[in-house]
């Protein structure tokens, strides 16, 4: 299973990259806005070069399918590790699978995004998406059983030998990460605050403190027990 960071914050991306736990990055226009990336090209290229060769998902910013095609070609030209995010439908409900298919046939990797149902997953896989992003937090917002959806999606893809990978996004709580992992998600994209939360534990801190204190005490005793011949030795 891979872990992506769901962020455009360079300091956070670098922080978790240096920990060796990040396999890629996902962004969307709301994340870019929140993390103050106003120049999309410059921001995407900076992230892409920081994490290369790991994939960085950059989402199209238009509701027009023709413009999605043009933007996707442009974004993919910015860096070889950029994956273009195309929504499964646009804001009017027009399916975007044809865009995914056309881009895939040009060799552009697509992350089919805002998938909220098994139907979305099946159609995105058939259209050739490299990744399919299930927004589990939004599925659960509507009363859906998100872990079950992830499990069914992964089972269906593997049963029919589709190569698309499921990315679980829209994480709301640390428990969602465990649920997605146990449901068999290929990738979980995690906002930095949840990476921090799943890492820290007061009892781990306390245990490490105890070991460090006891190591100091043991060293003091060793120093006292040291043989006189050792003193002043060059
Ligand atoms: C994933 O690729 C998306 O960027 C993200 O997880 C969406 O999450 P949201 O539902 O919090 O907007």
């Amino acid at each position: 299973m891979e872990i992506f960071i769901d962020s455009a914050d360079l300091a956070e991306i670098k922080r978790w990259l240096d920990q060796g736990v990040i396999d890629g990055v996902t962004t969307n226009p709301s994340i870019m806005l929140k993390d103050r990336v106003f120049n999309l090209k410059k921001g995407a290229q900076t992230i892409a070069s920081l994490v290369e060769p790991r994939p960085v998902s950059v989402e199209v910013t238009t509701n027009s399918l023709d413009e999605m095609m043009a933007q996707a070609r442009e974004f993919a030209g910015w860096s070889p590790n950029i994956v273009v995010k195309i929504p499964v439908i646009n804001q009017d409900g027009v399916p975007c699978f044809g865009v995914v298919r056309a881009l895939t046939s040009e060799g552009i990797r697509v992350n089919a995004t805002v998938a909220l149902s098994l139907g979305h997953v099946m159609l995105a896989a058939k259209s050739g998406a490299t990744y399919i992003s299930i927004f589990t937090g939004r599925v659960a917002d509507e009363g859906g059983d998100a872990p079950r959806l992830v499990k069914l999606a992964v089972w269906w893809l593997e049963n029919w030998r589709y190569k698309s990978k499921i990315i679980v996004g829209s994480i709301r709580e640390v428990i969602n990460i465990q649920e997605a992992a146990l449901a068999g998600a290929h990738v979980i994209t995690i906002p930095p605050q949840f990476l921090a939360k799943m890492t820290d534990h007061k009892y781990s801190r306390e245990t490490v403190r105890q070991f460090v204190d006891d190591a100091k005490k043991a060293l003091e005793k060793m120093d006292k027990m040291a043989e006189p011949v050792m003193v002043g030795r060059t």
Side-chain angles (χ1 to χ4, degrees), residues 220-232:
E220 280 165 19
K221 287 205 190 304
M222 274 169 71
D223 286 348
K224 281 188 192 138
M225 286 164 63
E227 298 205 4
V229 71
M230 301 288 284
V231 177

Side-chain angles (χ1 to χ4, degrees), residues 2 4 23-26 53-58 81-88 100 104 108-115 120-121 123-125 127-134 157 163-168 186-189:
E2 292 181 305
F4 289 0
D23 303 298
V25 179
T26 52
R54 298 166 187 82
V56 178
S57 286
V58 181
N81 56 333
I82 286 182
V83 174
V84 183
K85 261 182 164 179
I86 302 288
V88 288
V100 178
T104 301
I108 294 173
R109 288 184 294 166
V110 175
N111 177 347
T113 192
V114 201
H120 283 159
V121 170
L123 298 178
S127 67
T130 301
Y131 297 103
I132 305 170
S133 291
I134 302 181
L157 289 173
K163 292 205 163 54
S164 312
K165 283 185 177 175
I166 294 294
I167 302 181
V168 167
H186 303 115
V187 185
I188 307 176
T189 189

Side-chain angles (χ1 to χ4, degrees), residues 5-204:
I5 187 165
D6 203 19
S7 176
D9 181 329
L10 282 180
E12 289 290 350
I13 295 170
K14 187 165 175 357
R15 175 181 175 206
W16 293 103
L17 193 64
D18 288 348
Q19 293 295 328
V21 298
I22 295 304
D23 303 298
V25 179
T26 52
T27 66
N28 62 41
S30 303
I31 288 173
M32 292 295 197
L33 181 66
K34 176 175 72 66
D35 291 336
R36 305 184 61 77
V37 175
F38 305 127
N39 181 331
L40 186 58
K41 181 176 181 181
K42 200 167 157 230
Q45 283 179 325
T46 307
I47 297 171
S49 79
L50 178 64
V51 306
E52 59 95 22
R54 298 166 187 82
V56 178
S57 286
V58 181
E59 186 156 352
V60 292
T61 60
T62 174
N63 195 48
S64 147
L65 274 61
D66 287 340
E67 285 174 18
M68 285 181 195
M69 282 296 303
Q71 283 192 353
R73 289 183 181 124
E74 188 192 342
F75 297 179
W78 289 345
S79 179
N81 56 333
I82 286 182
V83 174
V84 183
K85 261 182 164 179
I86 302 288
V88 288
I89 56 173
N90 77 357
Q91 66 189 37
D92 306 309
V94 178
C96 301
F97 304 114
V99 176
V100 178
R101 185 194 58 78
L103 293 170
T104 301
S105 69
E106 290 177 21
I108 294 173
R109 288 184 294 166
V110 175
N111 177 347
T113 192
V114 201
L116 296 175
S117 67
L118 187 58
H120 283 159
V121 170
M122 292 191 284
L123 298 178
K126 291 195 78 70
S127 67
T130 301
Y131 297 103
I132 305 170
S133 291
I134 302 181
F135 282 19
T136 53
R138 293 184 192 246
V139 170
D141 282 347
E142 288 201 314
D145 184 343
R148 182 173 150 77
L149 172 58
V150 174
K151 202 172 184 166
L152 290 176
V154 171
W155 173 83
W156 185 88
L157 289 173
E158 287 172 3
N159 188 57
W160 295 104
R161 295 187 166 73
Y162 283 96
K163 292 205 163 54
S164 312
K165 283 185 177 175
I166 294 294
I167 302 181
V168 167
S170 194
I171 297 297
R172 301 277 187 264
E173 299 171 293
V174 172
I175 187 74
N176 304 146
I177 299 163
Q178 292 175 37
E179 288 165 348
L182 294 177
H186 303 115
V187 185
I188 307 176
T189 189
I190 307 177
Q193 68 270 28
F194 293 112
L195 285 168
K197 224 171 170 192
M198 71 192 274
T199 302
D200 199 12
H201 198 297
K202 66 180 174 192
Y203 198 25
S204 293

